[in-house]
Amino acid sequence: MIAFYIALAAGIAIAIVYITLVLRTFLRLRRSVIDGTAASNAEGSAEGYEQQGRNFGWKAGAGVVASTGLLTLVSLTGWAWYILPFLGLGSSIAVIVAFLIDGKETATS
């Protein structure tokens, strides 16, 4: 039961940070579009798309192997169910970090 309360507290904190960053980024992008300062960057160019597509195969394969392994583990043991909520929280933290990195890159350019 203690794992539930830990996950609940962490989930509430992560949700607040996540929603704050999403709203901040949305308002920044909206402001730049309205002002007409939304410039094309490397992500919108053909070169940017090529860079994003590099090394995708092994990442996708690793994701499939990890997902299959977790599903197998959950079906075999009961304790593995405790892993899944924390993996969801970890994924949310990864998205928050991506928002923060994107915000720093946007501020410097």
Side-chain angles (χ1 to χ4, degrees):
M1 194 68 177
I2 189 107
F4 168 76
Y5 291 117
I6 292 171
L8 179 64
I12 290 170
I14 290 169
I16 291 169
V17 172
Y18 193 98
I19 291 170
T20 302
L21 287 171
V22 167
L23 288 174
R24 190 176 74 178
T25 303
F26 173 76
L27 293 173
R28 178 180 51 83
L29 289 173
R30 182 176 180 262
R31 204 173 23 252
S32 68
V33 168
I34 290 172
D35 294 343
T37 58
S40 64
N41 52 19
E43 293 172 358
S45 67
E47 179 182 318
Y49 287 121
E50 282 183 30
Q51 290 175 350
Q52 291 174 1
R54 290 186 188 139
N55 298 323
F56 179 74
W58 73 268
K59 293 175 188 175
V64 169
V65 169
S67 296
T68 305
L70 283 171
L71 288 172
T72 303
L73 192 63
V74 166
S75 66
L76 295 176
T77 62
W79 62 265
W81 280 99
Y82 292 104
I83 296 172
L84 299 178
F86 289 102
L87 288 174
L89 294 173
S91 297
S92 298
I93 290 171
V95 173
I96 289 171
V97 170
F99 269 113
L100 293 174
I101 292 171
D102 184 53
K104 285 182 183 179
E105 289 178 359
T106 304
T108 58
S109 60

